[in-house]
PDB file of all heavy atoms in Angstrom:
ATOM      1  N   ALA A 349     145.433 107.119 109.263  1.00  0.00           N
ATOM      2  CA  ALA A 349     144.722 105.860 109.264  1.00  0.00           C
ATOM      3  C   ALA A 349     144.322 105.573 110.721  1.00  0.00           C
ATOM      4  O   ALA A 349     144.897 105.936 111.673  1.00  0.00           O
ATOM      5  CB  ALA A 349     145.704 104.762 108.772  1.00  0.00           C
ATOM      6  N   GLY A 350     143.199 104.834 110.769  1.00  0.00           N
ATOM      7  CA  GLY A 350     142.645 104.560 112.108  1.00  0.00           C
ATOM      8  C   GLY A 350     141.197 104.405 112.126  1.00  0.00           C
ATOM      9  O   GLY A 350     140.575 104.267 111.049  1.00  0.00           O
ATOM     10  N   GLN A 351     140.600 104.462 113.301  1.00  0.00           N
ATOM     11  CA  GLN A 351     139.200 104.449 113.457  1.00  0.00           C
ATOM     12  C   GLN A 351     138.562 105.795 113.513  1.00  0.00           C
ATOM     13  O   GLN A 351     138.956 106.616 114.314  1.00  0.00           O
ATOM     14  CB  GLN A 351     138.714 103.600 114.636  1.00  0.00           C
ATOM     15  CG  GLN A 351     137.203 103.342 114.618  1.00  0.00           C
ATOM     16  CD  GLN A 351     136.781 102.356 115.626  1.00  0.00           C
ATOM     17  OE1 GLN A 351     136.837 102.587 116.788  1.00  0.00           O
ATOM     18  NE2 GLN A 351     136.330 101.169 115.135  1.00  0.00           N
ATOM     19  N   ALA A 352     137.653 106.009 112.587  1.00  0.00           N
ATOM     20  CA  ALA A 352     136.947 107.360 112.523  1.00  0.00           C
ATOM     21  C   ALA A 352     135.526 107.176 113.141  1.00  0.00           C
ATOM     22  O   ALA A 352     134.894 106.168 112.882  1.00  0.00           O
ATOM     23  CB  ALA A 352     136.844 107.810 111.124  1.00  0.00           C
ATOM     24  N   HIS A 353     135.153 108.192 113.946  1.00  0.00           N
ATOM     25  CA  HIS A 353     133.775 108.175 114.472  1.00  0.00           C
ATOM     26  C   HIS A 353     132.974 109.258 113.707  1.00  0.00           C
ATOM     27  O   HIS A 353     133.485 110.354 113.461  1.00  0.00           O
ATOM     28  CB  HIS A 353     133.665 108.559 115.934  1.00  0.00           C
ATOM     29  CG  HIS A 353     134.732 107.825 116.774  1.00  0.00           C
ATOM     30  ND1 HIS A 353     134.608 106.413 116.976  1.00  0.00           N
ATOM     31  CD2 HIS A 353     135.765 108.269 117.531  1.00  0.00           C
ATOM     32  CE1 HIS A 353     135.568 106.096 117.811  1.00  0.00           C
ATOM     33  NE2 HIS A 353     136.317 107.178 118.094  1.00  0.00           N
ATOM     34  N   ILE A 354     131.751 108.909 113.362  1.00  0.00           N
ATOM     35  CA  ILE A 354     130.825 109.981 112.948  1.00  0.00           C
ATOM     36  C   ILE A 354     129.775 110.054 114.025  1.00  0.00           C
ATOM     37  O   ILE A 354     128.967 109.055 114.270  1.00  0.00           O
ATOM     38  CB  ILE A 354     130.184 109.624 111.555  1.00  0.00           C
ATOM     39  CG1 ILE A 354     131.207 109.563 110.511  1.00  0.00           C
ATOM     40  CG2 ILE A 354     129.097 110.650 111.286  1.00  0.00           C
ATOM     41  CD1 ILE A 354     131.888 110.837 110.150  1.00  0.00           C
ATOM     42  N   ILE A 355     129.721 111.192 114.732  1.00  0.00           N
ATOM     43  CA  ILE A 355     128.715 111.371 115.770  1.00  0.00           C
ATOM     44  C   ILE A 355     127.427 111.874 115.085  1.00  0.00           C
ATOM     45  O   ILE A 355     127.513 112.837 114.215  1.00  0.00           O
ATOM     46  CB  ILE A 355     129.173 112.411 116.807  1.00  0.00           C
ATOM     47  CG1 ILE A 355     130.546 112.099 117.395  1.00  0.00           C
ATOM     48  CG2 ILE A 355     128.140 112.623 117.881  1.00  0.00           C
ATOM     49  CD1 ILE A 355     130.598 110.818 118.194  1.00  0.00           C
ATOM     50  N   PHE A 356     126.334 111.259 115.462  1.00  0.00           N
ATOM     51  CA  PHE A 356     125.062 111.699 114.900  1.00  0.00           C
ATOM     52  C   PHE A 356     124.183 112.096 116.154  1.00  0.00           C
ATOM     53  O   PHE A 356     123.745 111.222 116.822  1.00  0.00           O
ATOM     54  CB  PHE A 356     124.451 110.522 114.107  1.00  0.00           C
ATOM     55  CG  PHE A 356     123.159 110.892 113.446  1.00  0.00           C
ATOM     56  CD1 PHE A 356     123.088 112.004 112.547  1.00  0.00           C
ATOM     57  CD2 PHE A 356     122.010 110.180 113.603  1.00  0.00           C
ATOM     58  CE1 PHE A 356     121.864 112.326 111.909  1.00  0.00           C
ATOM     59  CE2 PHE A 356     120.820 110.458 112.962  1.00  0.00           C
ATOM     60  CZ  PHE A 356     120.762 111.527 112.134  1.00  0.00           C
ATOM     61  N   ASP A 357     124.005 113.380 116.269  1.00  0.00           N
ATOM     62  CA  ASP A 357     123.400 113.945 117.480  1.00  0.00           C
ATOM     63  C   ASP A 357     121.965 114.326 117.165  1.00  0.00           C
ATOM     64  O   ASP A 357     121.678 115.316 116.484  1.00  0.00           O
ATOM     65  CB  ASP A 357     124.193 115.083 118.009  1.00  0.00           C
ATOM     66  CG  ASP A 357     123.737 115.608 119.305  1.00  0.00           C
ATOM     67  OD1 ASP A 357     122.574 115.267 119.716  1.00  0.00           O
ATOM     68  OD2 ASP A 357     124.473 116.374 119.925  1.00  0.00           O
ATOM     69  N   LEU A 358     120.968 113.514 117.744  1.00  0.00           N
ATOM     70  CA  LEU A 358     119.594 113.911 117.575  1.00  0.00           C
ATOM     71  C   LEU A 358     119.053 114.757 118.669  1.00  0.00           C
ATOM     72  O   LEU A 358     117.914 115.091 118.705  1.00  0.00           O
ATOM     73  CB  LEU A 358     118.788 112.613 117.448  1.00  0.00           C
ATOM     74  CG  LEU A 358     119.076 111.784 116.203  1.00  0.00           C
ATOM     75  CD1 LEU A 358     119.235 110.306 116.494  1.00  0.00           C
ATOM     76  CD2 LEU A 358     117.966 111.998 115.176  1.00  0.00           C
ATOM     77  N   ILE A 359     119.955 115.119 119.642  1.00  0.00           N
ATOM     78  CA  ILE A 359     119.521 115.946 120.719  1.00  0.00           C
ATOM     79  C   ILE A 359     119.683 117.418 120.331  1.00  0.00           C
ATOM     80  O   ILE A 359     118.861 118.276 120.632  1.00  0.00           O
ATOM     81  CB  ILE A 359     120.320 115.701 122.017  1.00  0.00           C
ATOM     82  CG1 ILE A 359     120.217 114.182 122.398  1.00  0.00           C
ATOM     83  CG2 ILE A 359     119.812 116.565 123.134  1.00  0.00           C
ATOM     84  CD1 ILE A 359     121.091 113.809 123.566  1.00  0.00           C
ATOM     85  N   TYR A 360     120.803 117.691 119.712  1.00  0.00           N
ATOM     86  CA  TYR A 360     121.175 119.079 119.406  1.00  0.00           C
ATOM     87  C   TYR A 360     120.040 119.806 118.702  1.00  0.00           C
ATOM     88  O   TYR A 360     119.388 119.241 117.757  1.00  0.00           O
ATOM     89  CB  TYR A 360     122.360 119.130 118.524  1.00  0.00           C
ATOM     90  CG  TYR A 360     122.762 120.583 118.179  1.00  0.00           C
ATOM     91  CD1 TYR A 360     123.515 121.274 119.038  1.00  0.00           C
ATOM     92  CD2 TYR A 360     122.282 121.183 117.012  1.00  0.00           C
ATOM     93  CE1 TYR A 360     123.823 122.655 118.767  1.00  0.00           C
ATOM     94  CE2 TYR A 360     122.519 122.551 116.708  1.00  0.00           C
ATOM     95  CZ  TYR A 360     123.287 123.247 117.572  1.00  0.00           C
ATOM     96  OH  TYR A 360     123.520 124.526 117.323  1.00  0.00           O
ATOM     97  N   GLY A 361     119.839 120.995 119.114  1.00  0.00           N
ATOM     98  CA  GLY A 361     118.829 121.815 118.397  1.00  0.00           C
ATOM     99  C   GLY A 361     119.102 123.222 118.702  1.00  0.00           C
ATOM    100  O   GLY A 361     119.644 123.576 119.823  1.00  0.00           O
ATOM    101  N   ILE A 362     118.758 124.118 117.817  1.00  0.00           N
ATOM    102  CA  ILE A 362     118.772 125.562 118.073  1.00  0.00           C
ATOM    103  C   ILE A 362     117.401 125.874 118.606  1.00  0.00           C
ATOM    104  O   ILE A 362     116.379 125.489 117.935  1.00  0.00           O
ATOM    105  CB  ILE A 362     119.070 126.391 116.804  1.00  0.00           C
ATOM    106  CG1 ILE A 362     120.318 125.837 116.116  1.00  0.00           C
ATOM    107  CG2 ILE A 362     119.171 127.863 117.152  1.00  0.00           C
ATOM    108  CD1 ILE A 362     120.562 126.390 114.728  1.00  0.00           C
ATOM    109  N   TYR A 363     117.033 126.282 119.668  1.00  0.00           N
ATOM    110  CA  TYR A 363     117.585 127.180 120.616  1.00  0.00           C
ATOM    111  C   TYR A 363     118.100 126.654 121.919  1.00  0.00           C
ATOM    112  O   TYR A 363     118.656 127.386 122.731  1.00  0.00           O
ATOM    113  CB  TYR A 363     116.627 128.278 120.937  1.00  0.00           C
ATOM    114  CG  TYR A 363     115.409 127.831 121.740  1.00  0.00           C
ATOM    115  CD1 TYR A 363     115.479 127.622 123.104  1.00  0.00           C
ATOM    116  CD2 TYR A 363     114.207 127.636 121.059  1.00  0.00           C
ATOM    117  CE1 TYR A 363     114.366 127.281 123.800  1.00  0.00           C
ATOM    118  CE2 TYR A 363     113.088 127.241 121.844  1.00  0.00           C
ATOM    119  CZ  TYR A 363     113.165 127.037 123.183  1.00  0.00           C
ATOM    120  OH  TYR A 363     112.069 126.651 123.926  1.00  0.00           O
ATOM    121  N   ASN A 364     117.842 125.456 122.258  1.00  0.00           N
ATOM    122  CA  ASN A 364     118.554 124.962 123.424  1.00  0.00           C
ATOM    123  C   ASN A 364     119.076 123.602 123.194  1.00  0.00           C
ATOM    124  O   ASN A 364     118.691 122.924 122.231  1.00  0.00           O
ATOM    125  CB  ASN A 364     117.734 125.040 124.724  1.00  0.00           C
ATOM    126  CG  ASN A 364     116.578 124.009 124.740  1.00  0.00           C
ATOM    127  OD1 ASN A 364     116.780 122.902 124.410  1.00  0.00           O
ATOM    128  ND2 ASN A 364     115.398 124.466 125.062  1.00  0.00           N
ATOM    129  N   TYR A 365     120.000 123.219 124.000  1.00  0.00           N
ATOM    130  CA  TYR A 365     120.738 122.061 123.667  1.00  0.00           C
ATOM    131  C   TYR A 365     120.027 120.718 124.050  1.00  0.00           C
ATOM    132  O   TYR A 365     120.256 119.653 123.441  1.00  0.00           O
ATOM    133  CB  TYR A 365     122.135 122.133 124.323  1.00  0.00           C
ATOM    134  CG  TYR A 365     123.135 121.269 123.588  1.00  0.00           C
ATOM    135  CD1 TYR A 365     123.820 121.822 122.559  1.00  0.00           C
ATOM    136  CD2 TYR A 365     123.343 119.941 123.915  1.00  0.00           C
ATOM    137  CE1 TYR A 365     124.744 121.068 121.844  1.00  0.00           C
ATOM    138  CE2 TYR A 365     124.275 119.204 123.248  1.00  0.00           C
ATOM    139  CZ  TYR A 365     124.957 119.749 122.185  1.00  0.00           C
ATOM    140  OH  TYR A 365     125.832 118.981 121.454  1.00  0.00           O
ATOM    141  N   THR A 366     119.175 120.735 125.029  1.00  0.00           N
ATOM    142  CA  THR A 366     118.771 119.482 125.530  1.00  0.00           C
ATOM    143  C   THR A 366     117.260 119.222 125.578  1.00  0.00           C
ATOM    144  O   THR A 366     116.848 118.108 125.737  1.00  0.00           O
ATOM    145  CB  THR A 366     119.248 119.260 126.938  1.00  0.00           C
ATOM    146  OG1 THR A 366     118.754 120.318 127.764  1.00  0.00           O
ATOM    147  CG2 THR A 366     120.719 119.198 127.026  1.00  0.00           C
ATOM    148  N   ASP A 367     116.413 120.216 125.491  1.00  0.00           N
ATOM    149  CA  ASP A 367     115.062 119.885 125.886  1.00  0.00           C
ATOM    150  C   ASP A 367     113.983 120.400 124.891  1.00  0.00           C
ATOM    151  O   ASP A 367     112.836 120.576 125.286  1.00  0.00           O
ATOM    152  CB  ASP A 367     114.806 120.377 127.290  1.00  0.00           C
ATOM    153  CG  ASP A 367     113.821 119.382 127.964  1.00  0.00           C
ATOM    154  OD1 ASP A 367     114.137 118.183 127.938  1.00  0.00           O
ATOM    155  OD2 ASP A 367     112.808 119.812 128.483  1.00  0.00           O
ATOM    156  N   LYS A 368     114.308 120.475 123.681  1.00  0.00           N
ATOM    157  CA  LYS A 368     113.256 120.845 122.663  1.00  0.00           C
ATOM    158  C   LYS A 368     112.630 119.578 122.086  1.00  0.00           C
ATOM    159  O   LYS A 368     111.526 119.617 121.554  1.00  0.00           O
ATOM    160  CB  LYS A 368     113.967 121.696 121.620  1.00  0.00           C
ATOM    161  CG  LYS A 368     112.961 122.398 120.696  1.00  0.00           C
ATOM    162  CD  LYS A 368     113.668 123.364 119.736  1.00  0.00           C
ATOM    163  CE  LYS A 368     114.435 122.654 118.701  1.00  0.00           C
ATOM    164  NZ  LYS A 368     115.029 123.485 117.672  1.00  0.00           N
ATOM    165  N   ASN A 369     113.377 118.458 122.131  1.00  0.00           N
ATOM    166  CA  ASN A 369     112.894 117.227 121.514  1.00  0.00           C
ATOM    167  C   ASN A 369     111.652 116.721 122.210  1.00  0.00           C
ATOM    168  O   ASN A 369     111.556 116.675 123.452  1.00  0.00           O
ATOM    169  CB  ASN A 369     113.944 116.129 121.666  1.00  0.00           C
ATOM    170  CG  ASN A 369     115.007 116.182 120.574  1.00  0.00           C
ATOM    171  OD1 ASN A 369     115.048 117.215 119.808  1.00  0.00           O
ATOM    172  ND2 ASN A 369     115.752 115.170 120.371  1.00  0.00           N
ATOM    173  N   VAL A 370     110.699 116.304 121.350  1.00  0.00           N
ATOM    174  CA  VAL A 370     109.485 115.636 121.824  1.00  0.00           C
ATOM    175  C   VAL A 370     109.716 114.102 121.641  1.00  0.00           C
ATOM    176  O   VAL A 370     109.379 113.320 122.528  1.00  0.00           O
ATOM    177  CB  VAL A 370     108.296 116.162 121.095  1.00  0.00           C
ATOM    178  CG1 VAL A 370     107.053 115.249 121.350  1.00  0.00           C
ATOM    179  CG2 VAL A 370     107.974 117.573 121.454  1.00  0.00           C
ATOM    180  N   TRP A 371     110.288 113.769 120.513  1.00  0.00           N
ATOM    181  CA  TRP A 371     110.490 112.361 120.226  1.00  0.00           C
ATOM    182  C   TRP A 371     111.412 112.217 119.103  1.00  0.00           C
ATOM    183  O   TRP A 371     111.451 113.086 118.200  1.00  0.00           O
ATOM    184  CB  TRP A 371     109.181 111.587 119.870  1.00  0.00           C
ATOM    185  CG  TRP A 371     109.193 110.144 120.036  1.00  0.00           C
ATOM    186  CD1 TRP A 371     109.086 109.218 119.047  1.00  0.00           C
ATOM    187  CD2 TRP A 371     109.359 109.450 121.273  1.00  0.00           C
ATOM    188  NE1 TRP A 371     109.225 107.909 119.639  1.00  0.00           N
ATOM    189  CE2 TRP A 371     109.363 108.019 120.961  1.00  0.00           C
ATOM    190  CE3 TRP A 371     109.497 109.813 122.603  1.00  0.00           C
ATOM    191  CZ2 TRP A 371     109.499 107.050 121.931  1.00  0.00           C
ATOM    192  CZ3 TRP A 371     109.648 108.870 123.559  1.00  0.00           C
ATOM    193  CH2 TRP A 371     109.649 107.481 123.230  1.00  0.00           C
ATOM    194  N   THR A 372     112.211 111.139 119.137  1.00  0.00           N
ATOM    195  CA  THR A 372     113.059 110.815 117.987  1.00  0.00           C
ATOM    196  C   THR A 372     113.069 109.330 117.740  1.00  0.00           C
ATOM    197  O   THR A 372     112.776 108.521 118.681  1.00  0.00           O
ATOM    198  CB  THR A 372     114.546 111.235 118.192  1.00  0.00           C
ATOM    199  OG1 THR A 372     114.970 110.821 119.477  1.00  0.00           O
ATOM    200  CG2 THR A 372     114.706 112.713 118.073  1.00  0.00           C
ATOM    201  N   PHE A 373     113.168 108.947 116.499  1.00  0.00           N
ATOM    202  CA  PHE A 373     113.031 107.541 116.053  1.00  0.00           C
ATOM    203  C   PHE A 373     114.050 107.292 114.982  1.00  0.00           C
ATOM    204  O   PHE A 373     114.214 108.119 114.037  1.00  0.00           O
ATOM    205  CB  PHE A 373     111.595 107.380 115.530  1.00  0.00           C
ATOM    206  CG  PHE A 373     111.328 106.028 114.973  1.00  0.00           C
ATOM    207  CD1 PHE A 373     110.956 104.956 115.882  1.00  0.00           C
ATOM    208  CD2 PHE A 373     111.283 105.764 113.629  1.00  0.00           C
ATOM    209  CE1 PHE A 373     110.675 103.699 115.372  1.00  0.00           C
ATOM    210  CE2 PHE A 373     110.955 104.443 113.168  1.00  0.00           C
ATOM    211  CZ  PHE A 373     110.672 103.444 114.036  1.00  0.00           C
ATOM    212  N   VAL A 374     114.868 106.245 115.169  1.00  0.00           N
ATOM    213  CA  VAL A 374     115.916 105.970 114.180  1.00  0.00           C
ATOM    214  C   VAL A 374     116.007 104.473 113.883  1.00  0.00           C
ATOM    215  O   VAL A 374     115.810 103.625 114.744  1.00  0.00           O
ATOM    216  CB  VAL A 374     117.321 106.370 114.760  1.00  0.00           C
ATOM    217  CG1 VAL A 374     118.362 106.211 113.756  1.00  0.00           C
ATOM    218  CG2 VAL A 374     117.270 107.732 115.360  1.00  0.00           C
ATOM    219  N   ARG A 375     116.201 104.216 112.600  1.00  0.00           N
ATOM    220  CA  ARG A 375     116.476 102.831 112.208  1.00  0.00           C
ATOM    221  C   ARG A 375     117.700 102.771 111.307  1.00  0.00           C
ATOM    222  O   ARG A 375     117.947 103.540 110.459  1.00  0.00           O
ATOM    223  CB  ARG A 375     115.278 102.342 111.262  1.00  0.00           C
ATOM    224  CG  ARG A 375     114.028 102.041 111.954  1.00  0.00           C
ATOM    225  CD  ARG A 375     112.814 102.051 111.083  1.00  0.00           C
ATOM    226  NE  ARG A 375     112.929 101.216 109.892  1.00  0.00           N
ATOM    227  CZ  ARG A 375     112.193 100.108 109.762  1.00  0.00           C
ATOM    228  NH1 ARG A 375     111.269  99.703 110.621  1.00  0.00           N
ATOM    229  NH2 ARG A 375     112.312  99.454 108.588  1.00  0.00           N
ATOM    230  N   VAL A 376     118.547 101.740 111.617  1.00  0.00           N
ATOM    231  CA  VAL A 376     119.703 101.415 110.787  1.00  0.00           C
ATOM    232  C   VAL A 376     119.229 100.445 109.844  1.00  0.00           C
ATOM    233  O   VAL A 376     119.136  99.241 110.098  1.00  0.00           O
ATOM    234  CB  VAL A 376     120.945 100.944 111.611  1.00  0.00           C
ATOM    235  CG1 VAL A 376     122.153 100.715 110.703  1.00  0.00           C
ATOM    236  CG2 VAL A 376     121.242 101.988 112.680  1.00  0.00           C
ATOM    237  N   GLU A 377     118.839 100.874 108.596  1.00  0.00           N
ATOM    238  CA  GLU A 377     118.203 100.015 107.627  1.00  0.00           C
ATOM    239  C   GLU A 377     119.200  98.935 107.074  1.00  0.00           C
ATOM    240  O   GLU A 377     118.836  97.791 106.880  1.00  0.00           O
ATOM    241  CB  GLU A 377     117.585 100.853 106.462  1.00  0.00           C
ATOM    242  CG  GLU A 377     116.623 101.912 106.938  1.00  0.00           C
ATOM    243  CD  GLU A 377     115.227 101.380 107.168  1.00  0.00           C
ATOM    244  OE1 GLU A 377     114.989 100.183 106.926  1.00  0.00           O
ATOM    245  OE2 GLU A 377     114.403 102.192 107.626  1.00  0.00           O
ATOM    246  N   ASN A 378     120.371  99.352 106.847  1.00  0.00           N
ATOM    247  CA  ASN A 378     121.400  98.430 106.434  1.00  0.00           C
ATOM    248  C   ASN A 378     122.762  99.055 106.749  1.00  0.00           C
ATOM    249  O   ASN A 378     122.768 100.100 107.455  1.00  0.00           O
ATOM    250  CB  ASN A 378     121.244  98.049 104.952  1.00  0.00           C
ATOM    251  CG  ASN A 378     121.288  99.218 104.070  1.00  0.00           C
ATOM    252  OD1 ASN A 378     122.111 100.108 104.178  1.00  0.00           O
ATOM    253  ND2 ASN A 378     120.317  99.290 103.169  1.00  0.00           N
TER     254      ASN A 378
END
Side-chain angles (χ1 to χ4, degrees):
Chain A
Q351 189 169 67
H353 313 295
I354 298 294
I355 307 295
F356 184 56
D357 184 346
L358 291 135
I359 304 176
Y360 179 85
I362 308 170
Y363 68 79
N364 68 48
Y365 206 86
T366 58
D367 217 49
K368 193 173 69 172
N369 276 14
V370 169
W371 199 245
T372 45
F373 178 80
V374 186
R375 287 160 53 113
V376 181
E377 304 279 355
N378 56 48

